[in-house]
Amino acid sequence: MLLAIDTSAGTSVAIVDPSTGSIVALRSTPDTMRHAEVIGTLLAEALSAAGVRPSSLDGVVVGMGPGPFTGLRVGIAAARTFALGAGLPLHPMVSADAVARQEKVAGRSDTIIVVTDARRKEVFWSLYDLSGAEPVRIDGPGLSKPDALPHSDARRVDAAEIPGAQLALAAAALLAAGLPLASDEALYLRSPDVTMPSGIKRVTQ
Amino acid sequence: MNIDNPLVLGIETSCDETGVGIVRGTTLLSNTIASSMDEHARYGGVVPEVAARAHLEAMTPAITSALADAGVTLDEIDAIAVTSGPGLAGALMVGVGAAKALALAIEKPIYAVNHLVGHVGADVLRVPQSATAGSSEIDAGEIQYPTIALLVSGGHTSLLLVRDLVSDVELLGETIDDAAGEAFDKVARLLGLPYPGGPEIDRAAVGGNPKAIRFPRGLSLPKDHEAHRYDFSFSGLKTAVARWVEKKQDAAEQVPLADVAASFREAVVDVLISKALAACAEYGVPRLLLGGGVVANARVREVAAARAAEAGVALRIPPLSLCTDNGAMIAALGAQLIMAGHAPSGLGFGADSTLPVTDIQVG
Ligand SMILES: [Zn+2]
């Protein structure tokens, strides 16, 4: 069984069984402000609902974003230490892959652009081809102004939540096919917001 | 769990140090610190987003290294302790998320604790002799309560009355504007010196006359006694230094760097130690504990030692590696809570950037 953690939007924790494709446990909240508060309880509840001990899982899937940074980091930090603590492999994923897979599961087979909030009047986007057995990301993730989104011919899917179970199943599909996952680096797509100190200001008038 | 001598792993991410420390009861086993200070140097101060990104990258390597240094494995750990606040919210959240998941993964309890009280907790640690070499530890005996604690860093300047480490801590005063460490950084910058300012001011002050310029002592006038007896203010001091330097420059005179640095530093140290010793006198507590990164400043330790001796106050300064922000002090406080029979925190606590010192444990 795989545990998935994603805090790139709200917080989603899921435990899935890739051998059957079934969702064993799912705990999530759309709250985008309380990732640090809820992560422990959602993890504990999911483990308890699945009736598994951490060390008997097979791996930890984690959404690396993109997403608002402060919350995103909570899930990545949690996934990394959980994997370390339970002695499990870590499988980093692009968070939007979960949304694409959800569309595929819902029977769609077109080309979609998954759009999520990036705050500061910008959005994150990723482009997927759903025509095959599993979604294939063909461009992105990227950051853009809402009115400057690329790939206007693709069907737009706005996502307020990342479904953790689909993230885990998408990872399982990539692993089974021997395909690469995401790199183990947070997808910020933006430099830290810092202003270089201007010259020293006089205090004497 | 071993209640008498628990093996605790502590995680600290309140500012720019990712600290992971391991203690067994009151014995320090390891103290791994990854600092992002160099990344902040070009900005002249700690940038919260830069600090938070660095915490995320440093966390698991720091845990692995702390375990290796301590010679223990995760399945031996009895409990996890973590800083819940005060500090930078985004930085704290990395530690909170990491600590909760680690505790769940190893199926052990978690203790969410107060960063400032953690600085006091550092003093209970017995340190292997080699690690104290070169430190100015003055009293090797056990810490006694009540004690006054002066905690000074780039993030906080607080004066506490600690009646009991795990159950009774009172805030007597704190800075109402800049932290003392920030004042060092800002004055260093206006003197054209790099970040961090503390060591730079120290270097510049060599040979300077600390009495050359009488810079103001913030909130030290009789009129301040009522409302701000034990509070600190350093922004007026910074402005006074800037004004003094500008006047020299406007007159096309050489700025006597050593005298300015020494006089500024003296003003900071004087107000810190005066207020701390005044608290010792008023509360009848002949014990003073120093903590926080600014304690690395040699002049702070010198003046504290001389004036505490004069006042008949026993001074305690933990080894410097335990004065700066670190995970061992958080583990030490967690261990104290366990040994005092406190129940673990629940899983619902968050990061509280303004956590009051009276909240020694959270959740
Ligand atoms: Zn501190």
Side-chain angles (χ1 to χ4, degrees):
Chain A
M1 281 189 277
L2 290 175
L3 167 72
I5 299 174
D6 189 286
T7 57
S8 67
T11 301
S12 185
V13 174
I15 295 171
V16 304
D17 183 350
S19 67
T20 60
S22 61
I23 299 167
V24 182
L26 180 60
R27 291 290 185 278
S28 68
T29 168
D31 192 332
T32 57
M33 299 300 293
R34 292 169 46 82
H35 302 93
E37 285 87 342
V38 303
I39 187 74
T41 310
L42 297 183
L43 269 169
E45 286 178 4
L47 287 164
S48 152
V52 288
R53 294 188 61 179
S55 55
S56 57
L57 291 163
D58 298 306
V60 180
V61 177
V62 55
M64 303 304 291
F69 312 154
T70 310
L72 175 64
R73 275 188 289 265
V74 172
I76 298 174
R80 285 177 178 169
T81 58
F82 192 95
L84 177 71
L88 302 172
L90 185 72
H91 306 301
M93 293 285 287
V94 173
S95 296
D97 288 7
V99 179
R101 193 168 194 284
Q102 192 169 48
E103 290 290 308
K104 181 76 202 171
V105 169
R108 310 302 295 249
S109 55
D110 51 352
T111 298
I112 61 167
I113 185 162
V114 177
V115 177
T116 55
D117 180 27
R119 303 211 174 136
R120 287 189 240 159
K121 297 188 174 125
E122 289 186 306
V123 294
F124 295 119
W125 60 266
S126 295
L127 188 74
Y128 294 87
D129 172 9
L130 303 186
S131 63
E134 289 286 334
V136 177
R137 185 166 8 90
I138 47 179
D139 197 9
L143 176 69
S144 112
K145 298 279 178 207
D147 55 7
L149 264 182
H151 308 294
S152 53
D153 48 336
R155 179 168 60 90
R156 176 174 170 154
V157 178
D158 284 277
E161 292 185 63
I162 298 298
Q166 296 306 329
L167 192 70
L169 292 169
L174 290 175
L175 288 168
L179 292 169
L181 284 68
S183 92
D184 186 17
E185 276 174 42
L187 290 162
Y188 294 120
L189 310 188
R190 229 187 231 146
S191 297
D193 187 21
V194 284
T195 40
M196 289 300 282
S198 49
I200 297 154
K201 291 186 206 77
R202 277 184 68 91
V203 298
T204 318
Q205 294 307 306
Chain B
M1 174 168 32
N2 181 345
I3 297 230
D4 300 323
N5 212 18
L7 186 64
V8 182
L9 182 147
I11 294 178
E12 149 66 32
T13 62
S14 69
C15 192
D16 62 340
E17 329 268 5
T18 312
V20 179
I22 298 174
V23 309
R24 193 187 298 278
T26 56
T27 304
L28 176 69
L29 299 186
S30 66
N31 188 17
T32 298
I33 299 171
S35 175
S36 59
M37 193 208 291
D38 293 348
E39 295 174 54
H40 304 285
R42 62 201 188 104
Y43 306 115
V46 174
V47 181
E49 175 63 21
V50 172
R53 289 186 182 194
H55 285 308
L56 179 62
E57 295 324 309
M59 182 55 65
T60 40
I63 294 170
T64 305
S65 143
L67 289 164
D69 289 354
V72 299
T73 57
L74 273 174
D75 43 271
E76 295 173 67
I77 298 288
D78 289 311
I80 302 295
V82 62
T83 303
S84 174
L88 303 169
L92 288 165
M93 284 170 67
V94 175
V96 169
K100 285 181 179 178
L102 183 61
L104 284 166
I106 64 172
E107 302 177 278
K108 295 293 164 60
I110 188 166
Y111 287 77
V113 306
N114 187 300
H115 172 83
L116 291 171
V117 183
H119 274 298
V120 182
D123 195 62
V124 307
L125 288 174
R126 289 198 310 271
V127 185
Q129 209 53 47
S130 60
T132 60
S135 91
S136 57
E137 192 173 24
I138 287 175
D139 177 2
E142 239 175 67
I143 185 170
Q144 286 177 17
Y145 303 106
T147 183
I148 300 293
L150 173 67
L151 309 176
V152 197
S153 76
H156 46 74
T157 303
S158 306
L159 196 56
L160 315 183
L161 170 56
V162 184
R163 293 192 190 84
D164 186 291
L165 182 65
V166 295
S167 63
D168 190 352
V169 179
E170 183 185 338
L171 179 73
L172 300 180
E174 62 190 336
T175 182
I176 60 167
D177 40 56
D178 294 345
E182 260 181 298
F184 275 98
D185 294 338
K186 289 179 176 174
V187 167
R189 202 169 146 250
L190 73 87
L191 294 175
L193 303 170
Y195 173 88
E200 295 294 334
I201 296 275
D202 259 6
R203 261 191 288 280
V206 171
N209 176 7
K211 292 183 176 157
I213 310 149
R214 174 78 193 177
F215 287 126
R217 270 64 170 163
L219 300 180
S220 293
L221 298 171
K223 72 175 169 67
D224 299 316
H225 267 212
E226 184 110 2
H228 293 297
R229 175 109 201 230
Y230 298 119
D231 287 333
F232 303 92
S233 167
F234 296 106
S235 87
L237 170 59
K238 175 201 68 193
T239 308
V241 175
R243 235 183 263 285
W244 197 91
V245 169
E246 284 166 13
K247 213 167 132 193
K248 283 280 167 196
Q249 288 166 336
D250 290 351
E253 289 175 43
Q254 185 83 29
V255 175
L257 186 63
D259 284 350
V260 174
S263 299
F264 157 73
R265 185 180 62 179
E266 204 65 7
V268 175
V269 173
D270 183 26
V271 73
L272 288 173
I273 304 304
S274 296
K275 291 203 176 214
L277 290 173
C280 289
E282 182 176 315
Y283 289 88
V285 174
R287 286 174 289 274
L288 174 62
L289 169 77
L290 302 188
V294 171
V295 176
N297 191 297
R299 186 67 186 156
V300 172
R301 299 199 305 274
E302 244 170 61
V303 172
R307 289 179 52 186
E310 230 170 78
V313 167
L315 180 69
R316 298 179 68 93
I317 308 178
L320 294 185
S321 60
L322 293 173
C323 278
T324 49
D325 290 348
N326 66 87
M329 70 186 198
I330 300 306
L333 178 53
Q336 291 288 311
L337 287 161
I338 293 167
M339 292 186 282
H342 289 233
S345 302
L347 285 170
F349 68 89
D352 184 347
S353 59
T354 60
L355 186 69
V357 292
T358 43
D359 294 356
I360 299 165
Q361 184 188 349
V362 182

